[in-house]
Amino acid sequence: MNKSITEFPTRLASVAAGIEVLLKQLLADTALEGEIFRPTRLVAAMRHAALDGGKRLRPFLLVETASVFGAPRAGALMAGGALELVHCYSLVHDDLPAMDNDDLRRGRPTVHKAFDEATAILVGDALLTLAFDAMARPQVHPDPAVRVELVLGLARASGLGGMAGGQMLDLAAEGRFDDAPPKLGLAEVEELQAMKTGALLRFGCLAGAILGGAKPAERDALDRFGAIIGEAFQIADDLLDVEGDPATVGKATGKDAGAHKATAVGILGVAKAKEKLFGLIGEAETALAPFGSAGALLKAAARFVAERRA
Amino acid sequence: MNKSITEFPTRLASVAAGIEVLLKQLLADTALEGEIFRPTRLVAAMRHAALDGGKRLRPFLLVETASVFGAPRAGALMAGGALELVHCYSLVHDDLPAMDNDDLRRGRPTVHKAFDEATAILVGDALLTLAFDAMARPQVHPDPAVRVELVLGLARASGLGGMAGGQMLDLAAEGRFDDAPPKLGLAEVEELQAMKTGALLRFGCLAGAILGGAKPAERDALDRFGAIIGEAFQIADDLLDVEGDPATVGKATGKDAGAHKATAVGILGVAKAKEKLFGLIGEAETALAPFGSAGALLKAAARFVAERRA
């Protein structure tokens, strides 16, 4: 068996542990330079949203992509923490009653259930703001030109032309703003999901390449890999919604059909979606070919994303 | 009459016009590098929130502080646009039903009234993200070290230890999380307001000093000036809520007392609050003394902030 495949769970857990320590530090009680005071309730609710949660897949992709180039791990972890904060904020706002109205997240009450709706709105806002704070810090990389490039890339992936825009398209696809849900074709659904879910995963890979000082061709290859991972992740997620067990997944399943969510699985059917998913693993491996054995762990990550059960 | 006093309205209007042009460009339909697609509904709702609104006082402070040092206007305008986007996002989220539940803003329906609540949540998120995008752009300053310092400062002023934290304290002061509103003393109310309203105004002045390459002592003086302006602005705002005409102010007045808002005017009474306000104008002039005639316009700004009727 390939060493990277057996190594993968350990490496994933190691990044997750590093991110947990880092997010705890970022969410300390003490105000930093340029801050006045950190209110106890807001800090507690931000911790509820960000700590002890998830696989930390986005930071993993960032850290392990940077590691292909031998970039220092501490900087990659800080950049990964920034990316994870954006992901966490998006979950908090996505769960709000006016959005997807979810009570459960990672097996725990969502922030507006554990606290209240106003607090959840502010938690999302403050996590998003803290993400840019973290990405701009000298710990990420000694060269401010690299940090400012990462800040700009994170903003583009997360904003109106990326994740936030994708959430808008997703609500529109449910028929929120029309009498009936519009009929989206496969290409439109794929664009929606490339924005809503794909953009952050993809940026994780690109950010690792930027941190590692990748050459343009290497950067393009990792950007392509990131786009493929993003697509595979979403198809696997939609398959889990159809076939998964809520206890394992940690949130309600079977919701997409009821909410008229636009998914590739809904359009293609389960069998063809699985076929597409395995095709994507092949494409991911092709994209990583130029990196030889240095890309083995990222290949294992592609397989994990496609085959995960939770 | 002092030339700066007569010049002030023209200069304020000129910055506002520059910001309007810039925000229109930032909110164009076309996706930029690193973006996928800008959804029409989201762009329209973001324009509703950000365009044709307000005095643009925060960008004005930034641009005119930078101008004390002869910094190029285009860069200061872009940094001011970033700061204004943070202000605009905070208004959209503050107006939400779960927050202050306001139907009217600048004489127009709030975003969740003109569109819907989910759209308003995403508009706030996307405006905040776009703010960091704008601040990281090369147009702000050729040196990435300066841009990354501005990104970090903007995050600190806006986040859990600044504006967002202040909004949390403000909700707590209303008694949202207890059976009865807690009794805040003057010092606590001032800290709350230094975070909620003061932090962005203050950062406008500090950012101008950073852009202008101010020496440490100059920077400290402008940071102090910014803190004073922030405090004066909030007292004037609270006085407008007590004494103002809704038609002129552009939003409902007399709301603070009903909502048990924590205000210095509520604690001191109108007469003492006015006395304090005029004391602050004196302090602002003292802080600006080292800049001689170059600080005259900022002195006029302090007077404007204290005496405004809308």
Side-chain angles (χ1 to χ4, degrees):
Chain A
M1 200 177 193
N2 186 316
K3 183 164 166 287
S4 296
I5 302 281
T6 55
E7 253 184 44
F8 176 79
T10 321
R11 296 280 286 255
L12 183 63
S14 160
V15 170
I19 289 293
E20 190 70 17
V21 169
L22 188 71
L23 292 182
K24 266 187 194 146
Q25 287 166 357
L26 288 169
L27 292 167
D29 292 308
T30 322
L32 301 175
E33 198 193 326
E35 294 181 337
I36 296 171
F37 172 70
R38 295 183 160 195
T40 313
R41 182 184 180 85
L42 184 56
V43 173
M46 289 171 80
R47 287 183 189 145
H48 180 93
L51 298 184
D52 193 21
K55 295 170 287 294
R56 314 297 193 185
L57 186 61
R58 290 153 195 82
F60 173 82
L61 290 170
L62 196 158
V63 169
E64 292 298 348
T65 307
S67 136
V68 168
F69 303 93
R73 188 177 173 92
L77 270 175
M78 180 64 92
L83 184 54
E84 185 69 9
L85 286 169
V86 173
H87 175 56
C88 292
Y89 116 74
S90 78
L91 299 181
V92 175
H93 280 187
D94 224 24
D95 288 337
L96 284 169
M99 302 282 288
D100 281 356
N101 195 21
D102 273 308
D103 295 351
L104 203 61
R105 167 72 65 185
R106 293 169 177 163
R108 292 196 305 254
T110 47
V111 178
H112 66 274
K113 281 286 164 186
F115 292 82
D116 65 294
E117 215 178 313
T119 301
I121 293 167
L122 292 176
V123 161
D125 295 345
L127 289 173
L128 175 57
T129 308
L130 188 60
F132 289 104
D133 179 329
M135 197 62 109
R137 294 188 190 191
Q139 292 96 308
V140 169
H141 196 282
D143 183 352
V146 171
R147 271 139 58 203
V148 89
E149 185 177 1
L150 291 171
V151 165
L152 198 57
L154 181 62
R156 297 275 162 95
S158 315
L160 79 161
M163 185 184 68
Q167 287 173 306
M168 180 90 266
L169 293 176
D170 201 36
L171 295 173
E174 281 179 29
R176 292 260 192 135
F177 315 122
D178 301 290
D179 292 335
K183 286 258 175 262
L184 298 193
L186 185 61
E188 287 165 304
V189 169
E190 284 176 350
E191 183 172 74
L192 181 167
Q193 297 187 333
M195 292 170 70
K196 185 177 192 241
T197 323
L200 283 198
L201 291 159
R202 181 176 179 175
F203 178 68
C205 300
L206 181 62
I210 292 170
L211 262 184
K215 294 185 197 105
E218 295 168 327
R219 207 170 140 142
D220 289 350
L222 288 166
D223 187 42
R224 203 158 53 247
F225 170 72
I228 296 163
I229 281 275
E231 200 177 343
F233 181 91
Q234 186 61 52
I235 294 177
D237 209 55
D238 296 339
L239 284 169
L240 278 175
D241 184 76
V242 175
E243 301 187 324
D245 167 14
T248 319
V249 181
K251 62 179 179 183
T253 58
K255 285 194 68 175
D256 293 351
H260 301 289
K261 285 277 179 194
T263 75
V265 175
I267 292 175
L268 293 171
V270 167
K272 287 220 158 165
K274 284 186 177 171
E275 212 171 281
K276 187 172 171 96
L277 189 54
F278 290 105
L280 288 170
I281 301 178
E283 285 182 42
E285 294 185 347
T286 308
L288 293 171
F291 302 99
S293 66
L297 197 78
L298 292 177
K299 283 187 198 170
R303 216 160 261 286
F304 167 79
V305 160
E307 294 170 359
R308 72 205 170 86
R309 287 286 158 267
Chain B
M1 200 177 191
N2 185 315
K3 183 162 166 287
S4 295
I5 303 281
T6 56
E7 254 184 42
F8 176 79
T10 322
R11 297 281 284 259
L12 183 64
S14 159
V15 170
I19 289 293
E20 189 70 17
V21 170
L22 187 71
L23 293 181
K24 266 187 193 145
Q25 287 166 356
L26 289 169
L27 292 167
D29 292 307
T30 321
L32 302 176
E33 197 193 328
E35 293 181 336
I36 296 171
F37 171 71
R38 295 184 159 194
T40 314
R41 181 184 179 84
L42 185 55
V43 173
M46 289 171 80
R47 287 184 189 145
H48 180 92
L51 298 183
D52 194 19
K55 293 170 289 294
R56 312 299 193 186
L57 186 61
R58 290 153 196 81
F60 173 82
L61 289 170
L62 198 158
V63 169
E64 292 298 348
T65 306
S67 137
V68 167
F69 303 93
R73 188 176 174 92
L77 270 175
M78 181 62 92
L83 184 55
E84 185 69 9
L85 286 168
V86 173
H87 175 57
C88 292
Y89 117 73
S90 77
L91 299 181
V92 175
H93 280 187
D94 223 26
D95 288 337
L96 284 168
M99 302 281 288
D100 280 357
N101 195 21
D102 272 309
D103 295 351
L104 203 62
R105 168 70 67 184
R106 292 170 179 162
R108 291 197 306 255
T110 48
V111 177
H112 67 274
K113 281 286 163 187
F115 293 81
D116 67 293
E117 214 177 314
T119 301
I121 293 166
L122 292 175
V123 161
D125 295 345
L127 289 172
L128 175 57
T129 309
L130 188 60
F132 289 104
D133 180 331
M135 197 62 107
R137 294 188 191 191
Q139 292 96 308
V140 168
H141 195 280
D143 183 352
V146 171
R147 271 138 58 203
V148 90
E149 185 178 1
L150 291 171
V151 165
L152 197 58
L154 181 62
R156 298 274 163 96
S158 314
L160 80 160
M163 186 184 68
Q167 286 172 308
M168 182 88 266
L169 294 177
D170 201 36
L171 295 173
E174 282 177 29
R176 292 259 192 136
F177 314 122
D178 300 290
D179 292 335
K183 287 259 174 263
L184 298 192
L186 185 61
E188 288 166 303
V189 169
E190 284 176 349
E191 183 172 71
L192 182 167
Q193 297 187 332
M195 292 170 71
K196 186 178 191 239
T197 325
L200 284 197
L201 292 159
R202 181 175 178 176
F203 179 68
C205 300
L206 181 63
I210 292 170
L211 263 184
K215 295 185 197 104
E218 295 169 328
R219 209 168 140 144
D220 289 349
L222 288 166
D223 187 41
R224 205 158 51 245
F225 171 72
I228 296 163
I229 281 276
E231 200 179 342
F233 182 89
Q234 187 60 53
I235 294 178
D237 209 54
D238 296 338
L239 284 169
L240 279 174
D241 184 76
V242 175
E243 302 187 324
D245 167 16
T248 318
V249 181
K251 62 179 178 184
T253 58
K255 286 194 69 177
D256 292 351
H260 301 289
K261 286 277 180 195
T263 73
V265 175
I267 292 175
L268 295 171
V270 167
K272 287 219 159 165
K274 283 187 178 171
E275 212 170 282
K276 188 175 171 93
L277 188 54
F278 289 105
L280 288 169
I281 301 177
E283 286 181 41
E285 294 185 348
T286 307
L288 293 170
F291 303 100
S293 66
L297 198 78
L298 292 177
K299 284 187 197 170
R303 217 160 258 288
F304 167 79
V305 160
E307 294 171 359
R308 73 205 170 86
R309 287 285 157 269

